[in-house]
Amino acid sequence: MQPKPPTKPTLDGLERKWAEHWTRSGVYRFDRSRSRVEVFSIDTPPPTVSGSLHLGHAFSYTQTDVIARFQRMRGRAVFYPMGWDDNGLPTERRVQRHFGVRCDPSLPYKPAFEPPEWPSRQPIAVSRPNFVELCSQLTMQDEHAFEALFRRLGLSVDWSLTYATIGERARRASQRAFLRLLAKGLAYQAEAPTLWEVDFHTAVAQAELEDRRVEGTSYRVRFTGDDGDAVEVDTTRPELLPACVALVTHPDDDRFKALVGRSMRTPLFGARVPLLTHRLADPGKGTGVAMLCTFGDPTDLVWWRELGIGMRPVLDRDGTIRTVRWGTEGFEAEDPAAAQRAHDELAGLPVARARERAAAMLRRVGALAAPPARVTQTVKFYEHGNQPVEILTSRQWFVRTLSLKAALLARGAELSWHPAFMRSRFQTWVDGLTSDWCISRQRFFGVPFPLWFPVGPDGVVDHDHPLVPEEARLPVDPSTDVPAGYTADQREQPGGFVGAPDVMDTWATSALTPEIAGGWEDDQDLFARVFPMDLRPQGHDIIRTWLFYSVARAHVEHDTLPWVHAVISGWVVDPSRRKMAKSRGNVLTPDDALERFGADALRWWAAGKRAGADTAFDEGQLRVGRRLATKLLHASRFVLAVRGGRRGTPGGEAAEVGEPLDRAMLAALAAVVDEATLAFEAYEPARALEAAEGFFWTFCDDYLELVKGRAYGEAGPAGQASAVAALRLALRTLLLLFAPVLPFVTEEVWSWWRSGSIHRASWPEGGPLRAATGVERPSPLALDAAAAVLAEVRRAKTLAKRSLRTEAATVAVSDHPDRLAVLAEVADDLCRAGRIADLSLGPPAAVAIVRVALADA
């Protein structure tokens, strides 16, 4: 026997009640016995474990969960895992600050190490194993907090499918994928110009950069030639004058054609540099001539490669000017001693201080052709960094992506994008690639490269012939494991080996989330049931990273896309339309919103936003969402309180729906079901919610009022039975329509009169609703027409400041003949709801006119 609706239903306590029930019952557990065609698999974004979740996470993960719940109700076995992205720079930075430590790989491991209780300004140096242990300790705490919040939010994740990007399974998959790239010649190591983050002392990838507007100073510097010629160049980086290897102008710029091919002397250093041309030089920028330095920015890198100029690097990995010897190869000068004296003034200085010093030196020797000018410029930053990235020469691992551009563009065209215009962002990114993907990082908490390098008898490391483990050994840690054929005491000895010191970029592992979650090579039965996956949900800001890299890895390894559909979510932005980010200090956490308004209200707000659209957080919208959930409780209680036959006797939707108003309501609801189903199938849940919610308020505000008297038996048993049957059918259908968005309140109401979970019930269909009306083509017109007249009657009473229970002496309606005809069929319901004594219909009119005369007070 099902429980009765409570006398005073409330939303309070529903989240804890049903979250615990769902955990016990395993309602969201993936059924791995189902075939691939019966499975809907989701490549869920693993959130970065570096602090707390913000409102943007609740926003985007809810949008994914709504789709997962719909697919489950459509009869699919939903593969819905959760991963934790717990390695990478953000995690390391958080651990450093939280514990007051820094990693020093040269230190030995301390088994009983305890971090200081109160971190000081001077961080304590710890070994790499100790540092990794602290990272694991803190990320585990964060993961538990993340899971608790996601459960409270109502995510229908199968929590038995959780993984971590630093876990054994992920490390094995990441190392296996790398070794296969290496075997195919798609991974290579090279000493090459590399994007470098000076604060973190590590290489970064092109996809991890972002443009920021910064204030700077432009200096007009004079270069001189042999015949008294001079060329003036505007630069914001005078500290890179010792790295200048050429001057560049546009080939069509007539101002400098006579000087093209000649050499000029750099001020302060007297190095001869040629004046060359390149199509990327901007004649309208500055003087029309630019310095080519190795390297000041990515454009320098393009010029250097395409013009075939030598390299003169002057930056060290810590962002200071390195010490060099002028007069040696690569640093030739007309007066090496003078060049050395100038360089010694800059050596060892951080870039910003070196810039000031170089400007002062230029002013001192009269090499400034104009006063300095303040400028605002766009500068490349690492997305998690506070200093502009530099370009240094270092030995790094790369994956060949430039050679795959055409194939990856074809994959992007093959992928189904939601919204469709996001495809262009992928295409623009691939078209704009200028370098292969740098996947190595000079960090500590990450997946290590599974390689060792032999050391020759002379102690020289042979980087060209790496020692590769068998896949069966993976995962390996080259800092502690030993390659086959060697012993531990041969580490870092002549004739022995050294372990690869770097770890992989976190994206190199995250790009394999479909493979990691799906059990690639570890569980081939599972992998065959879920891969390629159906859905990748993600933000638009990481199309260039996570989506691009995932497509590239699946293309190379499996010759397929990693998923069929990509649903791109927007950002939650602040009132200034800036993305919420911890670095900006504008983050809002979901905890307060959940506490004050509840999970269903927060989910309603998130689910109502279109894919790809940024949205500003508005607390007022959460109030609307909570009002909807509350109204659903009370409307459901009313529907379940009325009975068929006579008031107080049992009845249900099995009875015949014979009244015109009831048939019209079910016809309108059938159309809503059709629209919502099409919207969900098109990955547009916001449109489905809009349709369902629009009908629900009509149902509550109009239909319930129109049918209430008949439902209570005021028109006899047959009329009551029709009303109750229609009400029950409508309630069941509305609960199913709202279930993906409002899982807690719908589960609560479902439990009042149904067995099992609503989230395992079948999604509604329009056909049975139409069939229940007993007519071939039921029309919603009667409900629409009656609601319009009822609204006018209510308005007249309100304007007269009379109670809605006031009798309307007469109501005269002029309207289209079709509407007048259906109004005649529902006149009794309309008169009861509006307390209308005399209803007259006609004459016909092109525009509806309703005249209301109220009874005397």
Side-chain angles (χ1 to χ4, degrees):
M1 185 175 186
Q2 295 300 316
K4 295 180 180 180
T7 304
K8 295 182 178 180
T10 178
L11 299 176
D12 297 337
L14 295 188
E15 291 161 19
R16 179 185 295 275
K17 169 184 176 181
W18 290 112
E20 291 176 354
H21 173 79
W22 294 332
T23 299
R24 291 193 307 270
S25 64
V27 67
Y28 305 129
R29 191 171 296 126
F30 173 63
D31 180 2
R32 64 174 295 161
S33 69
R34 305 278 288 277
S35 66
R36 180 64 188 92
V37 295
E38 299 174 292
V39 169
F40 185 86
S41 51
I42 303 173
D43 183 18
T44 319
T48 301
V49 184
S50 59
S52 59
L53 295 169
H54 57 70
L55 206 56
H57 291 103
F59 177 78
S60 59
Y61 282 83
T62 294
Q63 292 181 334
T64 303
D65 184 67
V66 168
I67 295 172
R69 288 179 176 276
F70 166 76
Q71 292 291 343
R72 194 177 288 113
M73 295 174 73
R74 293 288 275 178
R76 307 284 288 278
V78 176
F79 180 76
Y80 190 11
M82 179 60 71
W84 308 120
D85 192 5
D86 44 13
N87 73 82
L89 293 178
T91 299
E92 289 194 20
R93 181 168 58 179
R94 172 166 156 74
V95 169
Q96 290 167 351
R97 293 173 177 173
H98 184 83
F99 292 111
V101 298
R102 64 178 179 84
C103 183
D104 183 349
S106 66
L107 295 177
Y109 173 65
K110 292 184 178 180
F113 173 76
E114 291 289 338
E117 184 176 358
W118 301 103
S120 66
R121 291 187 176 182
Q122 294 298 323
I124 296 175
V126 298
S127 71
R128 178 173 177 173
N130 288 126
F131 185 75
V132 169
E133 286 181 352
L134 292 176
C135 290
S136 299
Q137 175 184 330
L138 192 58
T139 55
M140 188 173 297
Q141 296 174 13
D142 289 340
E143 288 164 11
H144 290 318
F146 283 20
E147 180 178 336
L149 189 143
F150 279 151
R151 285 180 181 271
R152 184 176 182 185
L153 190 59
L155 297 193
S156 59
V157 165
D158 182 345
W159 291 102
S160 69
L161 301 174
T162 305
Y163 66 89
T165 58
I166 200 64
E168 180 178 334
R169 179 167 31 131
R171 284 183 284 125
R172 182 164 50 248
S174 187
Q175 290 184 342
R176 180 193 306 120
F178 169 77
L179 291 180
R180 294 188 181 184
L181 288 173
L182 187 65
K184 294 174 182 177
L186 292 173
Y188 66 95
Q189 191 178 34
E191 185 85 19
T194 309
L195 296 164
W196 190 265
E197 216 296 324
V198 297
D199 284 341
F200 292 107
H201 295 185
T202 183
V204 294
Q206 180 184 352
E208 296 172 295
L209 303 185
E210 64 182 25
D211 290 335
R212 299 182 193 170
R213 300 287 289 171
V214 298
E215 298 291 326
T217 303
S218 179
Y219 302 90
R220 181 157 293 183
V221 180
R222 184 182 298 107
F223 290 70
T224 58
D226 290 334
D227 300 327
D229 298 315
V231 173
E232 297 175 359
V233 177
D234 285 345
T235 180
T236 59
R237 303 206 62 179
E239 77 279 9
L240 293 184
L241 270 170
C244 181
V245 293
L247 301 178
V248 184
T249 186
H250 195 274
D252 297 333
D253 195 334
D254 294 334
R255 294 173 294 174
F256 306 103
K257 282 192 174 180
L259 298 176
V260 171
R262 297 189 187 182
S263 63
M264 296 287 170
R265 298 184 191 86
T266 60
L268 300 178
F269 300 95
R272 289 185 172 273
V273 295
L275 179 62
L276 305 175
T277 64
H278 194 280
R279 67 188 184 284
L280 293 182
D282 185 355
K285 184 176 180 181
T287 65
V289 180
M291 288 198 310
L292 194 175
C293 301
T294 52
F295 295 94
D297 58 34
T299 303
D300 282 344
L301 191 56
V302 175
W303 286 343
W304 170 76
R305 283 176 176 154
E306 297 188 5
L307 295 175
I309 303 299
M311 191 184 299
R312 191 175 289 155
V314 299
L315 287 179
D316 261 340
R317 294 188 174 194
D318 60 356
T320 62
I321 304 297
R322 62 189 288 236
T323 299
V324 302
R325 289 183 59 194
W326 282 88
T328 60
E329 184 179 358
F331 287 88
E332 297 85 359
E334 290 187 343
D335 187 345
Q340 192 67 56
R341 287 193 297 272
H343 195 99
D344 289 345
E345 288 196 49
L346 303 177
L349 294 178
V351 165
R353 289 180 56 196
R355 186 172 303 146
E356 297 173 356
R357 179 72 59 82
M361 294 165 64
L362 289 168
R363 189 179 300 109
R364 188 171 65 214
V365 300
L368 293 181
R374 298 296 295 172
V375 294
T376 300
Q377 58 187 144
T378 300
V379 179
K380 300 288 185 185
F381 282 75
Y382 170 56
E383 58 189 353
H384 299 296
N386 297 316
Q387 297 292 330
V389 295
E390 301 291 354
I391 301 176
L392 308 181
T393 300
S394 59
R395 181 174 289 278
Q396 303 291 342
W397 282 99
F398 297 86
V399 173
R400 301 186 193 278
T401 50
L402 288 176
S403 60
L404 298 175
K405 286 175 72 169
L408 296 179
L409 284 170
R411 290 295 185 195
E414 180 184 349
L415 179 63
S416 293
W417 295 81
H418 309 277
F421 69 82
M422 287 293 176
R423 177 183 286 110
S424 64
R425 299 197 183 190
F426 178 84
Q427 293 170 335
T428 299
W429 172 253
V430 177
D431 282 332
L433 285 175
T434 59
S435 60
D436 285 333
W437 176 17
C438 177
I439 63 168
S440 48
R441 298 292 181 269
Q442 289 63 55
R443 300 303 299 171
F444 315 108
F445 189 54
V447 178
F449 284 89
L451 301 171
W452 302 265
F453 300 101
V455 180
D458 55 0
V460 176
V461 177
D462 181 3
H463 288 101
D464 296 327
H465 300 89
L467 305 171
V468 180
E470 296 291 331
E471 284 191 7
R473 283 193 64 186
L474 302 178
V476 298
D477 184 348
S479 68
T480 55
D481 295 326
V482 177
Y486 291 83
T487 58
D489 58 3
Q490 290 180 282
R491 185 181 295 275
E492 299 181 1
Q493 299 297 317
F497 68 94
V498 295
D502 297 337
V503 298
M504 297 185 203
D505 168 24
T506 184
W507 292 114
T509 301
S510 296
L512 296 166
T513 51
E515 288 86 350
I516 295 167
W520 172 51
E521 297 289 355
D522 290 339
D523 189 341
Q524 287 294 71
D525 176 75
L526 175 64
F527 194 65
R529 296 177 194 274
V530 302
F531 187 89
M533 294 194 173
D534 293 277
L535 175 63
R536 155 64 70 85
Q538 66 162 75
H540 54 71
D541 54 323
I542 51 174
I543 289 175
R544 71 188 193 278
T545 48
W546 193 33
L547 190 145
F548 169 73
Y549 295 146
S550 298
V551 169
R553 300 299 285 269
H555 170 76
V556 170
E557 180 61 39
H558 310 289
D559 192 25
T560 184
L561 281 169
W563 357 261
V564 180
H565 299 273
V567 174
I568 310 300
S569 64
W571 291 337
V572 177
V573 296
D574 63 17
S576 300
R577 306 300 296 180
R578 298 182 307 167
K579 178 189 177 184
M580 284 190 180
K582 297 170 189 174
S583 60
R584 296 191 178 101
N586 63 349
V587 164
L588 295 175
T589 65
D591 302 84
D592 179 63
L594 287 169
E595 190 66 32
R596 295 169 59 201
F597 302 103
D600 280 340
L602 187 59
R603 290 173 61 94
W604 172 86
W605 164 71
K609 307 306 177 188
R610 307 272 175 167
D614 296 343
T615 185
F617 177 67
D618 181 358
E619 190 175 282
Q621 294 186 0
L622 296 189
R623 293 191 179 93
V624 175
R626 186 170 179 86
R627 175 173 171 257
L628 172 66
T630 302
K631 187 68 172 180
L632 187 57
L633 274 181
H634 292 291
S636 299
R637 183 181 180 279
F638 165 76
V639 170
L640 295 176
V642 296
R643 307 284 178 168
R646 64 181 185 275
R647 189 173 181 181
T649 61
E653 60 267 31
E656 179 182 351
V657 179
E659 292 292 327
L661 184 67
D662 304 334
R663 289 171 171 171
M665 182 274 293
L666 292 180
L669 181 54
V672 169
V673 169
D674 293 344
E675 182 178 355
T677 304
L678 289 174
F680 263 116
E681 290 177 343
Y683 292 88
E684 297 179 15
R687 184 160 60 89
L689 175 59
E690 182 181 0
E693 188 178 1
F695 176 85
F696 175 73
W697 289 114
T698 296
F699 176 80
C700 293
D701 296 342
D702 298 324
Y703 177 74
L704 289 185
E705 292 302 316
L706 287 163
V707 80
K708 184 182 296 184
R710 183 155 48 81
Y712 284 154
E714 295 176 9
Q720 183 183 24
S722 176
V724 171
L727 285 168
R728 298 293 178 88
L729 272 174
L731 177 60
R732 179 182 183 278
T733 304
L734 283 167
L735 290 174
L736 293 170
L737 288 174
F738 281 128
V741 177
L742 309 174
F744 295 102
V745 68
T746 54
E747 187 79 297
E748 172 70 10
V749 174
W750 191 263
S751 73
W752 294 348
W753 65 314
R754 297 278 178 173
S755 60
S757 171
I758 191 173
H759 304 299
R760 284 291 184 179
S762 296
W763 182 255
E765 296 181 6
L769 290 171
R770 294 184 179 92
T773 66
V775 297
E776 185 175 350
R777 294 182 180 178
S779 168
L781 187 57
L783 176 60
D784 178 67
V789 174
L790 183 61
E792 289 299 318
V793 173
R794 290 169 172 167
R795 190 169 72 90
K797 294 177 181 180
T798 301
L799 290 175
K801 298 182 179 180
R802 305 282 293 276
S803 167
L804 292 180
R805 297 183 62 81
T806 301
E807 185 177 272
T810 63
V811 174
V813 181
S814 299
D815 205 341
H816 190 277
D818 291 345
R819 292 173 68 86
L820 292 176
V822 297
L823 280 172
E825 294 178 348
V826 298
D828 289 344
D829 287 332
L830 179 56
C831 289
R832 275 190 296 269
R835 300 182 68 83
I836 301 170
D838 181 21
L839 175 65
S840 62
L841 304 175
V847 179
I849 301 173
V850 180
R851 297 179 178 86
V852 181
L854 302 181
D856 293 337

